[in-house]
Amino acid sequence: MKPEAKIPQATTKRLPLYYRFLKNFANEGIKRISSQELSDAMKIDSATIRRDFSYFGALGKKGYGYDVNYLLEFFRQTLDQDEAMNVALIGVGNLGNGLLKYNFQKNHNTRIVVAFDSKAPYEGTMISNIPVFHPDRLEDMYEEFGAELAILTVPSRSAQMMTDRLVNMNAKGILNFTPVRLSVPETLKVMNIDLSVELQALIYLVRNSH
């Protein structure tokens, strides 16, 4: 089942969190939960949870709450947890190296299958059991390894250039760790993760919480 209404990006980002917490509830043998119980566990306002769920139709019953196994199965299908997604990492600096080592071990449907870095030899090398090639081979190796999404951890000056190449290759999405706001067509989905902006926002909240 796919929702007909356009889902806000904030809601989209919470869907994997709902799935993770529902798995925890199921593993504990819990069969039924209320939005308030889910709220207490996730530290998200219960009204926000109900609004998020409403985009997908009637997922619960008034006075009963939510069936944990039903919700778990629903979000598993919604997030395509059964279908593996191959990811390419572009830029193997400090952050990129950390991502290679982590490689989404808790996400059974996501894995980095290939990486690219300007310091890598043309013929490729292995880092954390992942093949790493020079960016000159991006087009060939991206397709050969069946990558669909890219994680961008390159220097700012290279971000748009690499993005333009990904656009020409019909990549489906980019997780952008650079501070650059990328110019892309509507067909390519981008999520931006700017750690410095998040940190500045946290500093503001800390200093203005009194």
Side-chain angles (χ1 to χ4, degrees):
M1 173 185 173
K2 296 288 183 185
E4 293 181 7
K6 185 173 174 62
I7 308 298
Q9 191 172 78
T11 297
T12 301
K13 288 184 175 182
R14 285 190 288 268
L15 297 183
L17 283 175
Y18 291 136
Y19 181 73
R20 180 185 297 172
F21 276 86
L22 286 164
K23 272 182 80 174
N24 292 341
F25 282 126
N27 289 339
E28 291 170 12
I30 297 171
K31 304 290 186 189
R32 183 175 74 177
I33 55 164
S34 66
S35 57
Q36 188 58 53
E37 287 169 324
L38 196 53
S39 168
D40 292 342
M42 297 183 65
K43 305 295 186 274
I44 295 174
D45 183 66
S46 60
T48 298
I49 293 172
R50 289 193 296 272
R51 186 173 64 248
D52 286 348
F53 285 10
S54 72
Y55 289 109
F56 300 92
L59 296 182
K61 298 175 185 173
K62 197 165 184 178
Y64 176 87
Y66 300 99
D67 183 294
V68 170
N69 287 327
Y70 173 79
L71 273 187
L72 188 61
E73 177 63 18
F74 175 83
F75 282 113
R76 185 176 65 79
Q77 292 183 14
T78 300
L79 293 165
D80 285 332
Q81 286 290 309
D82 293 332
E83 190 171 331
M85 180 72 76
N86 292 337
V87 178
L89 175 70
I90 304 177
V92 188
N94 291 334
L95 177 57
N97 248 308
L99 289 170
L100 280 185
K101 288 175 184 172
Y102 170 62
N103 202 3
F104 307 100
Q105 292 164 20
K106 293 183 180 178
N107 292 46
H108 301 301
N109 69 329
T110 309
R111 58 183 182 155
I112 297 171
V113 293
V114 65
F116 301 90
D117 191 81
S118 59
K119 293 178 182 173
Y122 184 83
E123 65 275 11
T125 186
M126 297 293 287
I127 299 177
S128 299
N129 294 317
I130 306 294
V132 182
F133 297 96
H134 191 276
D136 286 350
R137 304 191 68 185
L138 175 64
E139 284 76 5
D140 292 340
M141 292 298 128
Y142 190 93
E143 183 175 351
E144 183 169 319
F145 281 87
E148 297 180 72
L149 305 179
I151 300 175
L152 208 56
T153 54
V154 296
S156 296
R157 64 182 180 276
S158 306
Q160 187 61 54
M161 178 187 69
M162 298 305 297
T163 298
D164 291 343
R165 291 173 68 182
L166 288 165
V167 169
N168 290 333
M169 292 155 49
N170 295 318
K172 294 180 179 178
I174 297 174
L175 186 62
N176 176 31
F177 278 93
T178 80
V180 178
R181 287 300 172 258
L182 304 170
S183 176
V184 298
E186 286 187 6
T187 52
L188 192 149
K189 306 302 180 189
V190 176
M191 282 203 171
N192 298 298
I193 299 180
D194 191 327
L195 298 178
S196 62
V197 168
E198 299 292 340
L199 185 58
Q200 287 298 318
L202 178 60
I203 291 169
Y204 174 82
L205 288 172
V206 169
R207 287 179 176 165
N208 293 274
S209 59
H210 302 298

